[in-house]
Amino acid sequence: MNKRKIIASFILSAVCASTVNFASTKTVSAATARLGGQDRYETSTKISQDGWTTSEYVVLASGQGYADALCAAPIASRHSAPILLTPSNNLDQNVKSEITRLKATHVIEIGGTGSISTNVENELKSMGLSVQRLGGADRYETSVKVAKALGTPNKVVVTSGQGYADALSIAPIAAKQGMEILLTSDMGIPDTVKDYIQDNQSSIVDTYVVGGTAVIPDSTISGLSNPIRISGDDRYETNVNVLDHFKASIDMNNVYIARGGGSAGNEFADALSASALAAKNNSSVVLTDDDINTNANTQKFIEDNVDSSANIVAVGGQASVADSVLEHMELTVIVKSANNRLQAIADSTSDSNEKDAVEQIIDNLNNSISNKLDNADEVLSDFQSNMEKTQQILQKLSDAERTNLQNKINADTTLMQYLDQLNQIAKEYFPTDTE
């Protein structure tokens, strides 16, 4: 049997003793999509087009450096505006066209002239736009300028200004909940930020400190109002812990997947643009890298919290979020959903042999997504091994037990839809038959 047929038949043989022909069904699994352009600037316009028909305000941030841009999401949310990116010295033409499409009349620039030059500002003004700059002498003062523009604080975020991942993990949540994002350094809270906090001490109830002690030492946060630290061993675990902390208030029906790091230093751009859209939809931005398998915490969060009806949206092109990462997330959600239905069957039976068989099948389905999707030999080997184990499990059942189990599975139309979707995805692993 060729590779494609082996893999395509595995899902069916994993739960049925004989061949079952599924009719085409309406997809009930997680839907995947991509918002990406030729570069970070066009990607920001694609995100804007997905979320906004018109917008009076546009927030403009640098696509070349994250320093001033990290605090942009809350002010964008305040004005129900998208975040568009631009090079420092000239207004990107895709962005210019998007501002026109939105029929915007006001632009808020984040950062000083080192982030967005006067050339860009003058071009915006020549378009008849009202331009407001929120920028300070450095990234820390810029975060204070943005915070002051948001009004009296109630809850604030303090996070590192020396890296972008932690700030972007909290950005959509801070934006949705109206929390200012204040930047600090590993040397201590800068005076401008400290003064702002002290001036507003009476109104600040909670301070969310995002990041570990390596970037924000305990000694620097002792004077903050009710400091609540959220951190992890790396940026991905911190991202998951942030989402887990606030998940009761997050709508997981839309999940935006963005690159969380890289060697170029500009990988912040897509997650920054997505933060405004995620806030608008009360959703989350999940950070990932080239291989979700290396981020066990991310995969578990997706498995535990993303339902089968969710839209999983990759932000950026293939270089930012590879298809294999998106496919693995989709498979994780579908397998979890199928296994939940199978577990219900196991829980409803009094036959110990049948219960044991279903629970072993669940384990086998979990194993079916344990390998990298882009490693054909490993995927094939894993599927073959689990198919053999499943057949052994089913052979232990009597004919009556096997028939009874198959009838229960066939009667669960939702489960059958999941299995059909899994089978279709399995076929797509190998677009051509290979002997």
Side-chain angles (χ1 to χ4, degrees):
M1 185 182 293
N2 61 49
K3 289 182 179 180
R4 180 176 175 180
K5 290 180 180 178
I6 289 174
I7 292 174
S9 66
F10 166 72
I11 298 298
L12 305 186
S13 65
V15 291
C16 299
S18 59
T19 302
V20 176
N21 292 318
F22 291 113
S24 294
T25 57
K26 181 180 178 180
T27 299
V28 294
S29 65
T32 57
R34 183 179 295 276
L35 292 173
Q38 294 297 314
D39 54 29
R40 72 201 77 167
Y41 309 111
E42 187 178 4
T43 292
S44 73
T45 67
K46 296 290 187 183
I47 292 168
S48 174
Q49 289 162 12
D50 188 73
W52 287 266
T53 303
T54 60
S55 179
E56 182 181 357
Y57 280 82
V58 165
V59 172
L60 195 65
S62 171
Q64 293 178 289
Y66 65 82
D68 286 332
L70 296 179
C71 53
I75 196 72
S77 183
R78 172 61 61 87
H79 294 286
S80 302
I83 296 174
L84 297 175
L85 305 182
T86 187
S88 296
N89 293 318
N90 61 283
L91 185 63
D92 181 85
Q93 288 305 302
N94 285 316
V95 172
K96 184 176 182 178
S97 297
E98 179 61 9
I99 293 172
T100 301
R101 184 194 72 83
L102 290 167
K103 298 181 174 62
T105 57
H106 297 79
V107 174
I108 299 174
E109 298 174 325
I110 306 297
T113 55
S115 294
I116 300 177
S117 69
T118 53
N119 290 337
V120 172
E121 185 170 334
N122 289 336
E123 187 169 358
L124 293 168
K125 290 178 178 178
S126 72
M127 296 168 62
L129 297 165
S130 170
V131 181
Q132 177 186 11
R133 184 184 293 273
L134 297 176
D138 55 27
R139 66 195 69 184
Y140 309 108
E141 187 178 359
T142 292
S143 72
V144 170
K145 295 276 190 181
V146 173
K148 288 180 177 179
L150 290 168
T152 303
N154 178 251
K155 297 180 180 181
V156 300
V157 173
V158 173
T159 190
S160 175
Q162 295 171 289
Y164 54 81
D166 293 345
L168 294 178
S169 289
I170 192 71
I173 297 164
K176 183 64 178 180
Q177 298 191 14
M179 297 189 288
E180 293 81 352
I181 298 176
L182 300 169
L183 303 181
T184 187
S185 77
D186 57 7
M187 300 299 293
I189 300 177
D191 288 342
T192 52
V193 176
K194 190 179 297 183
D195 290 343
Y196 173 82
I197 292 172
Q198 289 175 347
D199 290 344
N200 293 278
Q201 198 74 38
S202 61
S203 66
I204 298 175
V205 176
D206 294 320
T207 305
Y208 292 98
V209 179
V210 181
T213 55
V215 291
I216 309 176
D218 282 335
S219 59
T220 69
I221 66 172
S222 57
L224 300 178
S225 298
N226 189 28
I228 304 166
R229 186 187 290 275
I230 308 174
S231 63
D233 289 339
D234 58 27
R235 65 188 60 196
Y236 304 107
E237 187 175 2
T238 296
N239 174 245
V240 166
N241 288 342
V242 166
L243 299 179
D244 195 60
H245 185 91
F246 291 99
K247 68 181 180 182
S249 62
I250 299 173
D251 182 358
M252 298 302 293
N253 283 323
N254 292 288
V255 180
Y256 298 95
I257 312 299
R259 191 172 183 86
S263 58
N266 57 21
E267 292 84 3
F268 73 93
D270 294 339
L272 173 65
S273 299
S275 64
L277 180 58
K280 186 175 188 290
N281 293 328
N282 194 25
S283 302
S284 59
V285 173
V286 175
L287 301 181
T288 187
D289 61 9
D290 291 332
D291 180 10
I292 191 175
N293 294 277
T294 63
N295 299 323
N297 293 308
T298 302
Q299 181 167 337
K300 188 174 189 309
F301 180 83
I302 293 292
E303 182 177 346
D304 291 346
N305 296 284
V306 180
D307 293 328
S308 59
S309 60
N311 296 309
I312 302 175
V313 183
V315 182
Q318 286 280 349
S320 296
V321 180
D323 278 343
S324 60
V325 171
L326 201 59
E327 288 167 354
H328 202 143
M329 288 187 176
E330 183 182 20
L331 267 179
T332 296
V333 172
I334 301 170
V335 167
K336 179 202 74 171
S337 300
N339 280 347
N340 286 342
R341 307 295 294 197
L342 286 166
Q343 189 62 55
I345 292 174
D347 293 341
S348 68
T349 183
S350 59
D351 188 306
S352 59
N353 290 333
E354 187 178 304
K355 182 187 293 287
D356 182 61
V358 175
E359 289 180 347
Q360 289 184 65
I361 290 169
I362 290 172
D363 289 341
N364 287 346
L365 278 175
N366 285 333
N367 290 337
S368 72
I369 57 170
S370 63
N371 286 316
K372 291 174 62 176
L373 297 184
D374 57 358
N375 189 324
D377 290 336
E378 286 188 15
V379 172
L380 175 62
S381 175
D382 194 46
F383 272 128
Q384 286 177 307
S385 173
N386 283 289
M387 183 167 62
E388 292 168 1
K389 291 177 182 177
T390 299
Q391 292 296 342
Q392 292 170 6
I393 294 167
L394 295 172
Q395 289 304 316
K396 294 178 182 178
L397 300 177
S398 67
D399 289 344
E401 288 172 331
R402 192 157 51 247
T403 299
N404 187 48
L405 175 58
Q406 183 171 328
N407 288 339
K408 286 182 178 180
I409 291 170
N410 289 344
D412 189 331
T413 56
T414 301
L415 172 59
M416 295 291 278
Q417 289 175 319
Y418 289 135
L419 296 176
D420 185 30
Q421 185 68 12
L422 282 170
N423 192 48
Q424 295 303 316
I425 293 174
K427 290 178 182 179
E428 295 173 6
Y429 288 163
F430 300 95
T432 59
D433 289 350
T434 304
E435 296 299 327

